[in-house]
């Protein structure tokens, strides 16, 4: 029997102008599809001219400058359409989609679709829902008492996954996919009887509990920050950009 973590997986990642899902923009994205461990993945890449300046801090992270994006990037509208179409294909094929910190990337994509296509991500998923696997949520639930940070770089180090080019969308997507495979093997006795659809539903509750715990920690430390419990997509705000 082939368990889900040894079968076909896809992974999605973005690079952006910042960390605010309501106002920031996608500057690059990648979808990686791998039919089995060790099989050469199929990679779709997009480079986007966001139509707004890219802050220097964002460029320091991913290396994409205004000049490069204006010269080589495509307009957002057709790119967002293509991404949504390919994600819908993964959903229709019941292929699990790995997204590290899914509420960020998927919400940002949803806002870009609303901005440039006047349609939400859910529109593309009416025929079949995504089955999202978020390595951050899975790792925090399955190994909750481990100390240290849980960024993609940290998870790669912990699970022995090579991250060749951090903050390149395709490299990050592939690394997140490999982390999920490694995580599945390490916690096989707890995961092998659960389907990706089961795990999608469970992660909704796990993320909410993790968010409430972080919110409580912020309250104790006097940090004025609000943590959203929604997963894998944040609800639209009335005043969204």
């Amino acid at each position: 029997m082939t368990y889900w973590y040894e079968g076909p997986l896809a992974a999605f990642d973005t690079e952006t102008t910042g960390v605010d899902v309501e106002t920031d923009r996608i500057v690059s994205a990648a979808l990686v599809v791998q039919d089995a461990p060790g099989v050469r993945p199929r990679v779709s890449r997009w480079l986007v001219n966001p139509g707004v300046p890219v802050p220097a801090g964002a460029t320091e992270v991913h290396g994409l400058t205004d000049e490069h994006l204006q010269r080589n990037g495509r307009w957002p509208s057709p790119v967002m359409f293509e991404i949504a179409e390919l994600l819908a294909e993964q959903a229709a094929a019941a292929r699990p989609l790995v997204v590290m910190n899914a509420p960020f990337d998927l919400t940002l994509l949803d806002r870009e679709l609303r901005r440039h296509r006047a349609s939400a991500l859910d529109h593309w998923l009416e025929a079949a829902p995504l089955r999202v696997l978020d390595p951050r949520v899975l790792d925090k639930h399955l190994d909750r008492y481990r100390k240290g940070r849980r960024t993609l770089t940290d998870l790669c180090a912990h699970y022995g996954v090579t991250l060749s080019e951090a903050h390149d969308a395709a490299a990050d997507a592939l690394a997140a996919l490999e982390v999920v495979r490694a995580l599945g093997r390490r916690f096989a006795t707890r995961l092998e009887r659960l389907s990706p659809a089961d795990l999608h539903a469970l992660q909704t509750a796990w993320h909410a509990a993790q968010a409430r715990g972080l919110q409580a920690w912020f309250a104790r430390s006097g940090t004025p920050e609000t943590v959203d419990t929604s997963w894998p997509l944040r609800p639209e705000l009335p005043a969204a950009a």
Side-chain angles (χ1 to χ4, degrees):
M1 179 178 178
T2 300
Y3 296 112
W4 60 262
Y5 47 84
E6 302 292 1
L9 293 177
F12 176 66
D13 188 69
T14 66
E15 296 300 328
T16 69
T17 60
V19 297
D20 188 330
V21 295
E22 303 299 339
T23 59
D24 279 307
R25 311 297 175 91
I26 293 173
V27 296
S28 71
L31 178 72
V32 174
V33 180
Q34 187 182 51
D35 293 326
V39 174
R40 185 180 180 89
R42 302 184 296 279
V43 180
S44 300
R45 304 170 185 263
W46 296 271
L47 193 66
V48 185
N49 178 354
V52 299
V54 180
T59 296
E60 288 177 9
V61 172
H62 48 59
L64 298 173
T65 64
D66 280 328
E67 181 182 5
H68 180 75
L69 293 171
Q70 289 167 9
R71 180 182 302 157
N72 301 290
R74 297 168 58 201
W75 290 116
S77 179
V79 170
M80 302 312 150
F81 176 84
E82 290 171 12
I83 293 173
E85 287 282 293
L86 283 183
L87 292 191
E89 286 183 17
Q90 310 314 307
R95 187 178 294 116
L97 181 71
V98 176
V99 189
M100 176 71 183
N101 192 16
F104 178 78
D105 292 82
L106 294 183
T107 303
L108 190 56
L109 173 61
D110 175 79
R111 303 312 191 250
E112 289 278 56
L113 287 166
R114 293 172 187 266
R115 183 179 293 121
H116 298 291
R117 305 294 307 188
S119 185
L121 178 59
D122 286 344
H123 169 75
W124 273 267
L125 304 173
E126 290 175 347
L130 285 175
R131 294 165 173 82
V132 178
L133 299 172
D134 188 333
R136 186 169 181 266
V137 175
L138 291 169
D139 177 70
K140 287 183 74 173
H141 178 79
L142 295 166
D143 198 0
R144 68 183 66 184
Y145 299 113
R146 189 177 80 250
K147 302 295 184 182
R149 303 192 313 161
R150 298 179 195 249
T151 66
L152 180 59
T153 300
D154 298 316
L155 295 185
C156 286
H158 182 71
Y159 288 100
V161 171
T162 299
L163 178 55
S164 57
E165 299 178 63
H167 300 297
D168 170 83
D172 285 356
L174 181 59
L177 185 152
E178 294 293 353
V179 165
V180 166
R181 291 202 190 281
L183 190 150
R185 297 182 193 112
R186 183 169 299 188
F187 297 100
T189 56
R190 298 168 63 182
L191 295 177
E192 60 190 16
R193 296 186 180 182
L194 297 171
S195 70
D198 294 332
L199 281 170
H200 182 104
L202 287 167
Q203 286 170 101
T204 302
W206 295 346
H207 177 271
Q210 293 162 9
R212 288 193 295 268
L214 181 59
Q215 188 70 74
W217 185 85
F218 281 151
R220 290 194 300 271
S221 63
T223 302
E225 188 167 338
T226 301
V227 183
D228 198 315
T229 60
S230 303
W231 185 96
L233 187 67
R234 298 177 190 171
E236 183 187 17
L237 296 178

